[in-house]
Each structure stands twice: as C-alpha cells, then as structure tokens.
Amino acid sequence: MDKATDNSIQIDARGVYYRDLNASVREAIARGVKQIKLLNVNGQRYIADGLDRQVSIEVHGVPGNDLGAFMNGATVTVYANAQDAVANTMNAGKIVVHGSAGDVLGYGMRGGKLFVRGNVGYRVGIHMKSYKKQVPIIIAGGCAGDFLGEYMAGGIVVVLGLNVGTPHGSSVAGNYIGTGMHGGSIYLGAEADPRRFGKEIGITPLNEEDNQLLKELLGEFCADFDLNADEVLSRSFTKLTPHSHRPYGKYYAY
Amino acid sequence: MSYWDEKCISGCGLTGFIHVNGARESGAAVLESIAVIRERGNGLGGGFAGYGIYPDRADKLAFHLMYQNEKAHEDTERFLLQRFDITCAEPIPTRPNKFIQSPPLLWRYFASPRADYLRRANVSEDDFVVDAVMTINAQIAGACVMSSARNMGVFKGVGFPEDVGEFFRIDEYRGYIWTGHARFPTNTPGWWGGAHPFALLDWSIVHNGEISSYGINKRYLEMFGYKCTLLTDTEVVAYLVDLLVRRHGLSIRMACKALAPPFWREIDAMPEDEREAMRALRMVYASAALNGPFALLFAYKNGLVGFNDRIKLRPLIAAKRGDTYYMASEECAIRQIAPDLDDVWSPVAGEPVIVELGKGLVTENEFEPAGGRVRSQS
Amino acid sequence: MNLSQQVGEFVVRVDPERCRRCKRCVLNCGFGALSFENGVVADHKKCAACQRCVVFCPEQAIRVEHNPLAMKDNANWSYEHRRDIWRQAESGGMLVTGMGNDKPFFIFWDRMVLDACQVTNPSIDPLREPMELRTHIGKKPDSVQFERQPDGSLKLKTNIAPVIELATPILFGAMSFGSISLNAHKALAIAAQRCGTLMNCGEGGLHEELYPYGDNIIVQCASGRFGVHAEYLNRGVAVEIKIGQGAKPGIGGHLPGEKIGLEVSKTRMIPQGTDALSPAPHHDIYSIEDLRQLIFALKEATEYKKPVGVKISAVHNVAAIASGVVRAGADYVMIDGFRGGTGAAPTIIRDNVGIPIELALAAVDDRLRQEGIRNQASILAGGGIRNAGDVAKAIALGADAVVIGTAALVALGCRICQKCYTGNCSWGIATQRAELVRRLDPHEGAERLTNLIGAWSLELKEVLGAVGVNSIESLRGSRERLRGVELTRDTLDILGIKPAGR
C-alpha cells in the first residue's frame, strides 16, 4: 500500500516482483517524489539501478543483488545486511548499509560512496577507477575478504577492522590484497600480515594530506553510523599503494 | 560412458537447513526459501532432498527412480527384484502442476538387500547398493536413480523449483534436513536426470558453479568403479565424497581439504606435522581436487555441510537461529523463512561449514571418519 | 680414392662491401668451412648452416643459403634420398645423424586445441590470482591415513615414498656428458637449480663439478653403466634406468670416438678416442622381472631414499610395457617419443622407428588408469616438445611433467644443424673440443635456460587461466579440455578426445 505525502512515499515490497518494485520507484521519482521508503524488502534485485536523480531511498529488509548498480546520484540507506554486487560500476551517489555486505562490491566503481558498517566480502573494489575529482570511495567498518582492491586503477578503499578479534573478524583483510593494483589507495585500520599483500603494492607512510582525507571521510562515516569519530581516527592506519603504473611490462616479449 | 558424451553446464541457486535437535519440518519451508532466489535459475530445473521423511519405514532403503519409458521401468524392476527384497513399490505421489509437463515415470521402492545375494557378493551393504545404482544408471537405458538411502529422498525435475516442489508434494513430507536447488542449465533442457540434488547412498549434493576439473575428476573416479552417467559435473562431487569419506575413511573436514586444497604457499607456511599431512593429502588426491567456481551444500543423514572453492567465486551465506542452521546462495532465501537470526556470516573460501545432528556447528579438526558417531535415526 | 660426388647443401655468401676482414667468422666456424686469403674463403661443402658466423659477424655481412642447385624435380626421389645413396656408395656405412626425426610425419600437437572458459565458467586472471604449477614426481598411495597426537594436532600416518618436488612441470631431458659439453651440462644444472626443476645427466656419468647441483639432477643408469658408482647414485635426487630413447628405439647409445676427450674418458672410465657404445638391451635385463630386480637393487643401494624411474622409448606396445614397468616398482616412467633428439643415431632408425609421443602418452595414461595403477608412478613425456602449448596439451593428455631436450639446446644457441655426431658444434654445445666448449659460458647459458623455463611457465599459467583452473593438477589428465581438429576417428579414440564442435 502506497502512502504519499507531497514528495515522500512508502511502498510495501512484501512479495512484490523486483521488476514491479523498481518500476514503482522510477515512476514515483518521475512524479517528483524525493523520498522513498521501501518496507519488507527481501531479495529484490537491482534496486536503485541507474538512478540519476538526487532522491533518497530507504531499504528496510535485505535487498537483492546489484543494489545501486550504475547509480548516478541517488542516496540509498539499507537497514539490514546487503548482498552481492552493491555499487557495481556506480558513478555518483551514496549507499549506506547498516549491516554487512557481500562479495564483488563496487566493481568498476567510478564515483560516489559506499559505506558499510560491518564486514564486506570477497573481491571488493575491483578495478575501481578515478579521474581528477571523480573519486569513488568504499569504507567498511569491519573486515574484508580476499582480493580487496584487486586491479584497482584509482579511488579510495578504507577497511577499519573495528571487529578484529571477534568471531567474524579474524583479519582486517584477506589474502591477495591489491593484486594488479596500479592506481588509487587502500587504508587499513588494523594491522595486516604483509604476506597478504599482492606483489604490486607496498606500504606508504601517511602524510598530512592522508590524515586530512581520513578525517573528512571517517567523520562522515562515523556520523552515519553513530560512531565516535575521535576513537576511530585514533587508530593506527596503514596505507597501501601500487609500486608502478605498469606492473606487467616485464612479462611480455615484444 | 565414453568421452563422447556431453557435459551439461549450469548456473544455479542453493538453499538448505538443518534442525540440529532432529525436529522435522514440512518441506514447504524449503520451497518458500528457494522461491525467493528463483532468479538464479531459469526454470529448467529444480530439486530437493529431505532427510527423515520416511519415519515409519526408516529401516528400509528408499529408492527413488525416474524412467523415460515403460521398458526402462520393467528392466529396472526386474533388476531390483534380483538383488533386493522389495516391501513396497509405488509411484511417487505427485499433484498436477500446469508448468510441469511430460514428466517421466516416477517410482519409489522400499527395499532391503537380499541376504543370499549380499552374502555371495561378499561386499558391504553400502557397496552393494552403490553397485546397483551404478549398474542401473549405466546399463539400463532411460532409467535414472534419484536417491538410494534410508529415510531420505530426492525429488527433482525440469521446471522452476517451486513448481517441481509443488508437483512432488514436498509440503507433505517432514524432514530434519532439507536442501533445495534452482537450476540454470545451458544444455539438455529436457533432461530430468540433470537436475540437482545428486545423491548416492545418503549423500546428496546441490551445487552452484562449474567444475572445470570435471574431465580429470571423472577419469579418477572411473578408476574406482564409479560411472559418471548423468551428464552433469555435480555428479562427481557425490561420488568423490563417497570415495573419500565412506571408502577411504577421511573425516568430512579432511575430505573438503582434499577437494579444495590450501594453496602451496599456505601449506609451506604450516607447522611441520600439518605441512607433511597437507602435502601428502594434496599429492594423493590431486585428481580429486575440484577446480572452478563452486558453492556446494552436501547433506548426509547426520549433517549438512556448506563449502566454497578456495577463492570463493560463488556466493554462500550461513546463518543460525536457535537450534537451526541455514545456508544459502543469498541471505534473502534464509530471511524468507527465518526473518530473525541469531547470527549471519559469510563462510571462508575453502573452509567447510559443518553442522552435525545433535552437535551443531563443528569447528575443531575432526579425525574420526564421518560415520564414526552414528546416531541411528529410526 | 675416388672423388666424392657430393656437393654442399649450403652456400656461404660474404658481402665483400660490408666485410671488414676481422676474421671473426673464420675463428668461429667449428666445421672449418671458412678460411682467409685476401678475404674470407668458404669451403661450401663443409658448411653445416649452424649460423654461428652469421650471428657473430659485426657487419651482418654473411648469408648462408641453400645451395640453389637445380635438379630435375621428382616427387618420389627427393634431393636427400639421392644424396644419401651417394654417401653410402662412397662409404659403405650406415648413415649417422644428430637431433630428432626431421621428416614430415603428422604432428598431433598441431591438431589439438585447448578449451577456454566463457560465461558459464569464468576464466581466471593468471597475472593477478594465484596459479599453481607445483608438481610432485613419484609414487603415491591410493589413500592417506591420519592420526591424532596427544596434543590434538594432526599427523600423517601413511608412509609416503620419496617424491621430487618441481616448481614447474618442465624438466631438462637426459643428455650425456660426451654428447654435450661440460659447460652445457653445467648450464643445465645451474638453470635447473634456479628454476626449481631437474636436469638429467644422461648415460655419460656425472662430472665432479656438477656434484654441488645434485639436488636438481637425475642420474641415469644406462646399459653401458658409464660412470655408475655408489656415490654417483646417491648424489642425484633420483635414479633413472635408461631402457631406451625416442630417437633410436631398440638400439643403444652411441658416442663417436671424436667426442671422447680427457674429461669424458675420466668420467666414463673408457679410453680416449674409442667409440662409447651402450648396448641395446641392458645385458642383465631380458624380461620384466629382471627390470624389477635392477630397480630394487638401485633402491637398496640408495637406501630407498630416492625415486627410481625408468626411461623407455615410445614403441607400438608402449602401454603394456609401461604397465609392466610400473608393476616392476618404478616410481616414474619417462616416455620418449620418436621426435626425441640424440647426439648420434643411425638415420634409418631415427627416421623410421618409434611412435609419436602424443599417442604413446594417451595410451599409457589410459592403460594405467584401466588397471587402477595410475597413482603408482608419475608419467614424464618428451620427444619434440616445442613450446608451452605442447606442454599444456601433454599435461591435459595425462603427463605429470614434460621433458625437453632439443628445446633446451636451442635455447643455448643450437640451430639443429644435425651435425652433433661430428663433435664440431660451433656453439660449444655438442662438442668436446676445448676451443669450442669454451664459447659456451655456463652462467650465460643458465640464464638463457632459466628465461626459457620462466617464459614457458608464464605461458602455462595463461593457459590455466584460460581453462578456468588455478592449479595444474586440475588440467592434468583432463582430456575434456582438448579437442581434435581434422583427426580421424581412430586417432581421436586413441587420444581420448572429442572432435572440435562437440
């Protein structure tokens, strides 16, 4: 049942096929609705895909795969765990997940922000790209799985590891961190065994610019999740960057 | 089966749960769960395995068979009668469903091995049953065994899983373990036998992904007498588990380590005893290793196991609520039937999530073979 | 003495305008084809087309061409056929040649193609994701048992026979010291160590200077038993009984007297200048149980610490022979196909005897599996392996690892001129003449070999990535990943692969 008040509505998604749900969302936006609340979501895919208006969408329940794929400007807040492929090739906008999220997040991301309170899965931030001011950002409060930032060409990934040492927080990031990385930066908020690093990356000491950046980004992150920014910023951060722009030059006989 | 036969490739969705305290629940739950992730399938296959579904005939082997034609039916029954005492032979109960068209003949038999035949064969009862299953699948054209164990059964076919489940009246059975599968095959669209789960004895497998090592896994299994006839790569998993766990006596965790071995650099970094053990395991079972992306759920009479390839290329999520553990390709499949969960987590690549009846989540290294703590479910 | 009726196969042309008369070519030619008299003078008949002069001329002034002698075309009588008869009419002897069968027999590698993954099963990115080539050679049990220690930790209970660990499934084949120079041997040993693989010292014994590389050397025990003593057997990481080699199945090894210099004489313990002939059969092996006896004698002599393998040539009943060899207790079987190289062999044998390794390998792998004994020995396959594509296909057919001989020598500079038996190799490889041997710097040679193995290993990883597996054991024996193109039904059947399109 839809309830409309001027420019905000509520949609009950229980049992609604994703195509119909997303069509309703788009239709509402076309009408001029600026705030949409989706209730009883469970598994509907492709929510907010390709949206390019400054609208805000609340997702109550677990959204299906590919949330916010190709998104170009909306703000989506999820009040549950999210699944796989969130922010796939996202260009602009913001996604906030009050829970954990799955695998292959931010694949090919080219702008915008993805904030996840809990853990993120495998192959997060693959082939992120940036250009001048267009810088994609992924921040996770918990831990990440293997292949974090694989093949990254630009952008910023921050994994805080706030839950390291608890049952689902064995290590801030998994193996093969940044393999194939040739641009961008990864910041880890807890110590990682250097044996987990991909061949193409190394530790870079943080400078004033980095600290300023973290202050800004984590300030926003902590505000979104009601965390103590000072405490989070007092953590010891490790910055990982690629050694070279052309890591595979020597493998080929030209 | 010669090398000429084609292997069917499929992508899919999985779901499953186990009531650790043995409580039996209607199959309607697994139907509801798989229906939420029907997008992962394309309507060309669905199936379910239920354990504890024949409580008043729990001492009898329950063979579930599908026949393409009457001849297959007759030939198989004749074969079964030679080797087994059959106390009951009946069609598997179904209800019409407008999306399930031209089903094969579906029969079930409650049976025990004939004592004289078993004595003469001089093999264990399990081997006797395995041999019968391999023979039917390989030699009786048009016949295919869906399941072959006590107090469990596989129901599968071509169609969306909820339709297949409806057709087989899954809601009328009650089980303490249920697994379900939605299939997206890209070959042989009409073949009921290609749907998951694949079962042998009380092992049943549902699988998402593709086994790129299938060519060598199949040839390896053939050395031990298994015949891969069902044109789908998942079949090898059922037989590999049977070989490694039942015949070779490896624990489930060790068998999983053979199927998804740690990388050499990880093995090199292990303490000496563990390194020697892992090295030996990996060398001996090189041809059993499953390569390619996979998420698997395999169930047996005493437990449910969820398991990924070692770089986790397929999704799998696990969860717990009270005495029940859930595993599925997507969290929404679990939430549909258990909206409130005590814990939800993503299993680690290559590390099996093992939940045992009466025990719950098994986290330590186990050295006893899987059958070592049998609690008879009668 | 009658005048020889033969003419040179090649013509050496020196561009007089470019030639700066440095005489480097004259010095470099090992065949004595060039001399100097107011300019470079070529005795074309002696030219072997080894390209040494061409490469070393600082002005690129030299061209070696086919002698453009016109002979009446004849589809049955090639020039070579006619030439060989002239040679035999003049000598009355068996024609001898070097390297491997050069005749245009069908090459099965070139008619097999590999699968690649798309959509339903993704390929893997070998540059960014782990790709494992590690291979273990040796006998493996059917299953393993574990036991729990008092502290709860895991321990292996089953005894595993000694296995050799290779970093990559490519080994250097057996080439004797004698057929090749000491410097070539050293280059192979150094490279084997660097690449985490093995070289095989062949049937000429092991020179002391190679002792430090023992952990990367297979020592061979051939019918001539050259250089075989207890310390030798224990030096290497494995012992290989040489029953045959692909270039000359059924006959023995042959090192012409020209190549028995001081060091060879010392290592082989035979007089200088004599021909070193290894008899065809081991004179103590006339039946399979004799082989078993030798295998166990060697195991006893090495205290069961080393795998003992057997090298056989690919012949008609290679599958049955291999089965016998495995049941006799061998830890690995090395099968050498008919394209395998040699330092010297009668041409008639090299070009007409033996079968292709592709078929032999498939047949042996199948037979061992049918008999349920495939795990009891590793299969090493060789005989004309030319590139990483051949390696990948060999592994998909069932080889545990692949052996390269000719390819390794080509990496060192060999041009396959087939004159190894003369001992005049200008590149310092197949010779014992000190002034020629000196040209092959073992360290530079080792670097070239290491580059080759490294490049092929990278290529192998690319292939693995394309077929969607991240460790070599998942491609090994997986015939499903191969397809045949334009092969007959019988061939497809023997290879155990489907035709492309199915």
Side-chain angles (χ1 to χ4, degrees):
Chain A
M1 190 184 69
D2 300 4
K3 267 176 49 181
T5 62
D6 284 333
N7 65 352
S8 79
I9 63 163
Q10 228 169 259
I11 303 179
D12 185 352
R14 187 186 300 280
V16 177
Y17 184 43
Y18 73 79
R19 238 170 258 188
D20 300 325
L21 181 64
N22 291 333
S24 310
V25 169
R26 271 196 278 279
E27 192 244 338
I29 293 173
R31 283 199 323 258
V33 174
K34 291 273 186 280
Q35 278 154 323
I36 302 174
K37 203 165 173 178
L38 300 176
L39 301 174
N40 299 313
V41 170
N42 191 35
Q44 284 89 346
R45 294 181 165 194
Y46 315 120
I47 295 174
D49 279 15
L51 292 187
D52 59 359
R53 309 281 188 85
Q54 303 287 1
V55 296
S56 90
I57 302 179
E58 276 183 24
V59 176
H60 294 263
V62 175
N65 291 350
D66 272 297
L67 174 74
F70 307 102
M71 201 167 84
N72 197 21
T75 302
V76 180
T77 310
V78 180
Y79 291 97
N81 293 335
Q83 294 190 174
D84 298 332
V86 179
N88 179 359
T89 321
M90 186 164 122
N91 197 46
K94 183 172 176 184
I95 302 180
V96 178
V97 178
H98 291 262
S100 293
D103 299 334
V104 202
L105 311 177
Y107 178 78
M109 204 171 157
R110 358 164 348 120
K113 297 180 186 143
L114 169 62
F115 288 178
V116 177
R117 174 66 183 85
N119 287 345
V120 294
Y122 287 64
R123 298 188 302 289
V124 170
I126 293 192
H127 218 326
M128 281 170 80
K129 321 164 161 37
S130 69
Y131 187 69
K132 302 215 170 128
K133 288 218 169 47
Q134 180 87 339
V135 178
I137 299 165
I138 298 180
I139 307 182
C143 299
D146 294 350
F147 299 104
L148 177 71
E150 186 181 5
Y151 212 12
M152 236 171 119
I156 298 167
V157 171
V158 183
V159 183
L160 295 173
L162 298 172
N163 61 346
V164 167
T166 66
H168 300 315
S170 58
S171 167
V172 64
N175 295 319
Y176 314 110
I177 303 173
T179 70
M181 193 172 170
H182 47 287
S185 327
I186 299 176
Y187 298 88
L188 300 177
E191 226 184 291
D193 188 336
R195 284 179 298 188
R196 294 185 180 278
F197 298 170
K199 290 194 310 291
E200 292 75 25
I201 64 168
I203 298 180
T204 308
L206 280 85
N207 58 23
E208 212 16 69
E209 224 179 285
D210 293 309
N211 290 328
Q212 214 19 61
L213 175 73
L214 286 177
K215 192 158 169 219
E216 207 181 292
L217 292 178
L218 292 175
E220 195 185 332
F221 183 86
C222 293
D224 285 339
F225 294 117
D226 230 356
L227 292 168
N228 185 324
D230 288 327
E231 246 177 67
V232 170
L233 282 164
S234 71
R235 294 173 80 80
S236 168
F237 286 90
T238 309
K239 181 181 180 187
L240 302 169
T241 50
H243 294 308
S244 122
H245 299 301
R246 196 185 176 190
Y248 300 109
K250 69 176 183 334
Y251 285 136
Y252 299 97
Y254 291 102
Chain B
M1 182 125 278
S2 79
Y3 60 88
W4 290 97
D5 299 289
E6 311 231 6
K7 172 172 80 83
C8 176
I9 295 165
S10 61
C12 323
L14 325 166
T15 188
F17 62 82
I18 172 173
H19 290 305
V20 170
N21 60 10
R24 291 163 50 239
E25 181 175 0
S26 152
V30 75
L31 272 189
E32 207 187 327
S33 179
I34 196 80
V36 180
I37 54 173
R38 78 204 306 268
E39 278 303 302
R40 302 189 71 89
N42 66 351
L44 291 176
F48 305 89
Y51 290 72
I53 59 173
Y54 296 125
D56 23 303
R57 294 189 269 196
D59 59 324
K60 294 274 179 273
L61 293 159
F63 287 103
H64 282 198
L65 269 103
M66 57 169 79
Y67 304 121
Q68 299 299 324
N69 50 52
E70 254 319 303
K71 180 158 195 313
H73 179 190
E74 283 160 21
D75 288 346
T76 305
E77 280 192 6
R78 197 169 344 152
F79 174 84
L80 286 174
L81 281 164
Q82 276 175 358
R83 300 182 180 207
F84 296 89
D85 291 320
I86 302 185
T87 49
C88 172
E90 60 191 11
I92 300 178
T94 59
R95 61 164 84 89
N97 178 301
K98 67 179 188 239
F99 298 109
I100 305 296
Q101 293 166 353
S102 310
L105 301 166
L106 298 156
W107 280 73
R108 64 185 178 194
Y109 305 87
F110 292 91
S112 318
R114 278 184 49 182
D116 58 333
Y117 213 102
L118 184 58
R119 198 169 34 239
R120 191 162 8 112
N122 200 19
V123 295
S124 71
E125 191 198 271
D126 283 341
D127 284 327
F128 187 79
V129 174
V130 169
D131 187 61
V133 171
M134 293 290 138
T135 309
I136 295 172
N137 285 342
Q139 293 179 16
I140 303 183
C144 164
V145 180
M146 287 193 281
S147 53
S148 50
R150 293 188 168 76
N151 202 10
M152 67 82 71
V154 166
F155 306 88
K156 63 186 192 177
V158 173
F160 274 105
E162 21 343 337
D163 295 318
V164 172
E166 251 255 321
F167 171 78
F168 276 110
R169 298 161 64 167
I170 301 289
D171 51 298
E172 291 176 11
Y173 297 91
R174 307 182 69 80
Y176 59 91
I177 296 175
W178 280 104
T179 61
H181 187 261
R183 190 163 182 238
F184 196 142
T186 49
N187 230 357
T188 60
W191 168 229
W192 277 52
H196 303 204
F198 283 91
L200 183 68
L201 299 178
D202 66 311
W203 307 108
S204 70
I205 317 278
V206 289
H207 166 228
N208 170 209
E210 175 159 338
I211 299 173
S212 45
S213 53
Y214 172 77
I216 184 57
N217 297 139
K218 172 171 176 288
R219 294 179 75 221
Y220 174 72
L221 285 166
E222 280 165 3
M223 267 175 55
F224 296 96
Y226 295 93
K227 299 187 183 59
C228 298
T229 55
L230 302 174
L231 303 178
T232 307
D233 51 6
T234 309
E235 188 184 6
V236 299
V237 184
Y239 305 161
L240 284 169
V241 172
D242 188 56
L243 177 68
L244 267 51
V245 180
R246 184 179 63 87
R247 285 169 62 177
H248 285 182
L250 290 179
S251 70
I252 300 248
R253 190 174 296 278
M254 291 308 287
C256 289
K257 282 230 183 292
L259 296 178
F263 286 101
W264 287 117
R265 65 176 228 186
E266 286 166 36
I267 295 179
D268 289 343
M270 291 175 180
E272 191 185 336
D273 281 350
E274 204 184 337
R275 186 178 65 234
E276 281 312 297
M278 281 300 126
R279 191 167 167 262
L281 188 72
R282 194 168 166 181
M283 277 198 305
V284 168
Y285 291 110
S287 301
L290 297 175
N291 219 305
F294 66 80
L296 298 170
L297 291 184
F298 66 87
Y300 57 107
K301 61 180 182 268
N302 287 326
L304 179 66
V305 181
F307 181 40
N308 270 115
D309 70 84
R310 52 201 194 145
I311 50 177
K312 199 161 187 216
L313 293 172
R314 296 277 78 219
L316 190 65
I317 198 116
K320 172 184 188 294
R321 181 186 60 178
D323 263 338
T324 308
Y325 284 82
Y326 302 85
M327 299 184 220
S329 303
E330 293 182 27
E331 189 176 330
C332 58
I334 301 174
R335 292 276 179 191
Q336 184 69 18
I337 54 175
D340 304 301
L341 296 168
D342 299 335
D343 195 9
V344 186
W345 74 97
S346 174
V348 174
E351 293 289 330
V353 176
I354 305 173
V355 183
E356 262 180 35
L357 201 62
K359 255 195 95 176
L361 190 65
V362 173
T363 45
E364 323 89 37
N365 266 321
E366 290 296 289
F367 309 113
E368 285 129 75
R373 287 207 210 124
V374 170
R375 265 155 248 265
S376 54
Q377 272 308 108
S378 48
Chain C
M1 193 185 77
N2 295 334
L3 182 65
S4 172
Q5 292 185 13
Q6 296 173 61
V7 296
E9 224 173 306
F10 305 102
V11 169
V12 185
R13 297 212 194 283
V14 181
D15 185 343
E17 277 174 28
R18 283 175 161 246
C19 174
R20 62 156 115 119
R21 307 155 91 80
C22 65
K23 301 187 195 163
R24 203 184 280 179
C25 55
V26 175
L27 292 166
N28 265 286
C29 179
F31 296 94
L34 300 174
S35 58
F36 194 89
E37 219 167 306
N38 285 327
V40 179
V41 177
D43 180 355
H44 303 293
K45 273 197 213 169
K46 292 192 177 152
C47 177
C50 75
Q51 307 289 324
R52 181 86 181 178
C53 57
V54 175
V55 169
F56 278 80
C57 172
E59 298 299 334
Q60 295 178 67
I62 306 181
R63 250 202 273 302
V64 172
E65 295 170 346
H66 280 288
N67 188 347
L69 210 55
M71 301 203 82
K72 183 103 172 69
D73 287 342
N74 192 315
N76 193 32
W77 290 92
S78 71
Y79 170 71
E80 280 75 26
H81 287 131
R82 295 178 244 189
R83 175 203 66 198
D84 286 348
I85 290 180
W86 296 324
R87 286 165 73 192
Q88 292 187 302
E90 280 165 31
S91 65
M94 290 191 285
L95 296 171
V96 171
T97 183
M99 300 310 271
N101 186 328
D102 62 357
K103 298 299 177 288
F105 285 91
F106 206 72
I107 302 174
F108 295 92
W109 300 128
D110 293 341
R111 299 300 177 95
M112 286 190 268
V113 287
L114 287 154
D115 193 14
C117 287
Q118 283 188 109
V119 184
T120 53
N121 183 359
S123 51
I124 301 177
D125 194 341
L127 295 182
R128 282 167 283 281
E129 296 187 22
M131 211 45 102
E132 301 185 293
L133 295 180
R134 192 180 296 194
T135 297
H136 293 93
I137 303 298
K139 191 188 299 289
K140 291 151 199 151
D142 265 347
S143 63
V144 277
Q145 273 81 49
F146 299 95
E147 60 190 2
R148 201 208 306 248
Q149 311 255 63
D151 67 356
S153 66
L154 193 69
K155 193 172 170 72
L156 178 67
K157 190 170 158 196
T158 313
N159 270 333
I160 310 273
V163 295
I164 311 168
E165 188 177 290
L166 303 176
T168 181
I170 309 169
L171 299 94
F172 296 123
M175 293 179 280
S176 69
F177 169 43
S179 70
I180 61 176
S181 65
L182 185 58
N183 280 353
H185 246 215
K186 281 188 201 163
L188 288 163
I190 297 169
Q193 191 183 66
R194 259 191 228 157
C195 298
T197 183
L198 306 177
M199 62 95 75
N200 186 320
C201 72
E203 60 185 307
L206 186 67
H207 194 279
E208 295 181 336
E209 288 183 38
L210 267 74
Y211 279 18
Y213 302 97
D215 283 346
N216 295 86
I217 301 180
I218 299 177
V219 293
Q220 210 182 55
C221 174
S223 57
R225 298 281 203 281
F226 296 120
V228 178
H229 50 89
E231 197 197 345
Y232 166 83
L233 292 174
N234 282 297
R235 270 290 157 177
V237 75
V239 180
E240 180 178 283
I241 299 173
K242 179 198 172 187
I243 297 291
Q245 76 183 89
K248 41 190 165 176
I251 73 172
H254 182 168
L255 189 63
E258 286 84 357
K259 292 170 95 170
I260 313 285
L262 177 63
E263 290 295 320
V264 174
S265 165
K266 182 169 139 199
T267 309
R268 292 201 182 204
M269 297 177 69
I270 56 169
Q272 284 188 58
T274 182
D275 292 312
L277 297 168
S278 308
H282 285 243
H283 283 289
D284 55 346
I285 303 180
Y286 280 100
S287 181
I288 194 71
E289 63 272 18
D290 292 344
L291 176 62
R292 183 177 172 79
Q293 201 171 304
L294 181 60
I295 290 174
F296 281 90
L298 289 166
K299 289 194 178 193
E300 285 282 336
T302 55
E303 294 177 47
Y304 294 91
K305 292 195 189 127
K306 314 214 181 244
V308 173
V310 174
K311 176 177 176 180
I312 58 175
S313 28
V315 294
H316 299 177
N317 59 343
V318 66
I321 297 172
S323 166
V325 165
V326 172
R327 289 185 190 280
D331 296 286
Y332 71 81
V333 184
M334 193 262 144
I335 312 170
D336 202 15
F338 82 148
R339 292 277 188 194
T342 176
T347 316
I348 202 75
I349 299 287
R350 186 197 72 171
D351 292 349
N352 293 292
V353 183
I355 71 172
I357 186 58
E358 300 94 313
L359 303 175
L361 170 59
V364 169
D365 181 70
D366 273 342
R367 174 70 67 98
L368 296 180
R369 280 179 198 282
Q370 277 161 26
E371 295 188 21
I373 57 175
R374 178 64 183 86
N375 57 299
Q376 288 183 21
S378 294
I379 299 179
L380 272 47
I385 302 288
R386 306 156 301 171
N387 55 43
D390 293 350
V391 176
K393 293 168 191 172
I395 292 178
L397 282 178
D400 285 278
V402 154
V403 171
I404 57 170
T406 303
L409 297 188
V410 173
L412 289 174
C414 168
R415 262 60 182 170
I416 315 189
C417 71
Q418 301 189 36
K419 294 277 191 264
C420 327
Y421 59 93
T422 65
N424 291 327
C425 175
S426 309
W427 294 89
I429 301 169
T431 176
Q432 301 303 326
R433 283 167 55 189
E435 69 277 21
L436 300 180
V437 172
R438 173 178 323 139
R439 294 175 186 180
L440 176 54
D441 178 309
H443 291 281
E444 200 185 289
E447 201 184 316
R448 292 177 73 99
L449 290 166
T450 303
N451 281 346
L452 182 74
I453 299 283
W456 284 18
S457 297
L458 280 175
E459 288 173 338
L460 208 50
K461 289 185 184 184
E462 285 281 352
V463 169
L464 287 185
V467 300
V469 300
N470 57 17
S471 70
I472 193 84
E473 56 244 61
S474 295
L475 177 64
R476 181 170 291 127
S478 192
R479 309 262 179 104
E480 179 58 32
R481 310 321 296 274
L482 291 169
R483 290 294 187 271
V485 181
E486 300 285 325
L487 291 173
T488 64
R489 262 253 160 179
D490 279 336
T491 304
L492 288 169
D493 199 41
I494 294 167
L495 292 171
I497 67 179
K498 297 177 194 168
R502 290 261 163 82

